[in-house]
């Protein structure tokens, strides 16, 4: 497949780390929240293997923050998510489906509670800020909504603990999963969370002081030499193997949280008020008619740029493949597909066509590992 370069402009925002990752050999970008998000530094397979063994530093500034502060901020944040945040704690992150009035997904951010009246919504690729502003205006909420200058550096991989300990000391590795705190780097405090879009362990540094963040970015590479640190980015293979879902790829505003396996983040039994609550109760009562499932195909490569239909032998539609990659671990193609009832079973097989050739698809449960 021919590749095309990406035309940069003000609208396609750069990050404070862009010049650095370009020197370090970024080979592909994707666009995320109207911003450059690195998608590859050479081979994605080699990067996956490295991520599973060592440590990588990622420019994930495209994970933008929507800051909501003010007297009604907790009310507004709760209105947007089906996850019960009434007992949420300052210093914790929460993975929260954002739901619209139809009970469909708007985004799947990590929400950080900075104070009782200050929250960051660390968004996936959709314009949550306008959704929040619309709701605030319509409800006459007393809130301030903005996109602050926060540019996340993720440090991911098993050796991230050694590297972060070397720079920030023992306290940083005592952070609990999805906890955050403030840590000093050469006189500047940075909010650091134990989180990140890989299942290999790691941290996310929410950089507000750009200059200090850039210094820290360079320092991570200087101090990380002994751990074989490399520049990296969210890895397609690792995230599919780990079952980390991607808004816009695996699911979007036409899907509800039950179809996407988010039921553990849907709280319908408490008194909380959120958009789409009655709709979700109805959906739960009626049961879902399709679900995200894993698939496996005996193939050694695949490239997905749109959904691909999966059919049974008689030509009936089983579902659609939405993301896929070749997995060196499974030695076949694995993917994430929206599968229709009555085919949502791990034993089901189907067919899919790529470039006029037909391949057998095996449906399986998520996550793969
Ligand atoms: N970190 C931050 N912001 C983000 C992402 C991130 N914004 C965009 C995108 N990623 C949002 N999507 C996800 C999806 C999964 C997770 C985090 C963000 C995740 N899930 C864990 C899991 O599935 O095991 C934990 C979920 C839980 O609490 O149970 O980490 O990566 N800042």
């Amino acid at each position: 497949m021919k590749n095309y370069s990406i035309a940069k402009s003000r609208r396609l925002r750069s990050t404070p780390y862009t010049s650095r990752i370009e020197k370090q050999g970024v080979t592909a970008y994707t666009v995320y929240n109207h911003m450059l998000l690195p998608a590859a530094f050479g081979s994605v397979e080699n990067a996956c293997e490295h991520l599973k063994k060592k440590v990588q530093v990622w420019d994930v500034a495209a994970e933008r923050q929507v800051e909501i502060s003010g007297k009604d901020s907790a009310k507004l944040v709760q209105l947007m998510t089906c996850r019960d945040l009434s007992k949420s704690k300052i210093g914790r992150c929460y993975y929260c489906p954002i739901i619209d009035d139809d009970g469909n997904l708007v985004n799947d951010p990590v929400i950080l509670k900075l104070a009782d009246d200050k929250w960051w919504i660390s968004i996936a690729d959709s314009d949550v800020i306008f959704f929040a502003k619309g709701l605030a205006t319509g409800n006459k909420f007393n809130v301030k909504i903005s996109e602050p200058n926060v540019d996340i550096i993720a440090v991911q991989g098993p050796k991230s603990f050694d590297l972060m300990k070397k720079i920030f000391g023992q306290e940083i590795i005592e952070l609990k999963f999805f906890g955050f705190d403030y840590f000093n780097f050469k006189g500047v405090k940075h909010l650091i969370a134990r989180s990140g879009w890989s299942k290999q362990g790691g941290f996310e540094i929410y950089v507000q002081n750009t200059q200090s963040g850039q210094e820290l970015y360079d320092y991570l590479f200087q101090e990380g030499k002994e751990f074989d640190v490399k520049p990296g980015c969210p890895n397609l293979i690792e995230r599919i193997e780990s079952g980390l879902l991607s808004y816009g790829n695996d699911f979007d505003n036409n899907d509800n949280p039950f179809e996407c396996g988010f039921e553990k983040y849907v709280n319908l039994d408490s008194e909380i008020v959120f958009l789409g609550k009655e709709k979700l109760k109805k959906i739960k009562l009626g049961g879902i008619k399709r679900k995200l499932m894993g698939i496996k195909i005996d193939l050694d490569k695949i490239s997905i740029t749109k959904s691909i239909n999966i059919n049974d032998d008689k030509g009936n539609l089983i579902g659609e493949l939405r993301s896929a990659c070749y997995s060196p671990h499974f030695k076949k193609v694995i993917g994430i597909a929206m599968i229709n009832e009555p085919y949502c079973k791990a034993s089901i097989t189907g067919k899919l066509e790529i470039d006029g050739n037909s391949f057998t698809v095996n449906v399986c449960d998520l996550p793969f590992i």
Side-chain angles (χ1 to χ4, degrees), residues 32 63 95 108 110 122-124 152 177-178 196-197 199 204 206 244 265:
Y32 199 83
E63 294 169 356
Y95 184 43
D108 68 327
V110 175
S122 187
I123 59 172
I152 300 180
F177 183 64
F178 266 44
W197 212 55
K199 289 250 177 170
E204 291 182 301
Y206 288 71
L244 288 168
Y265 312 112

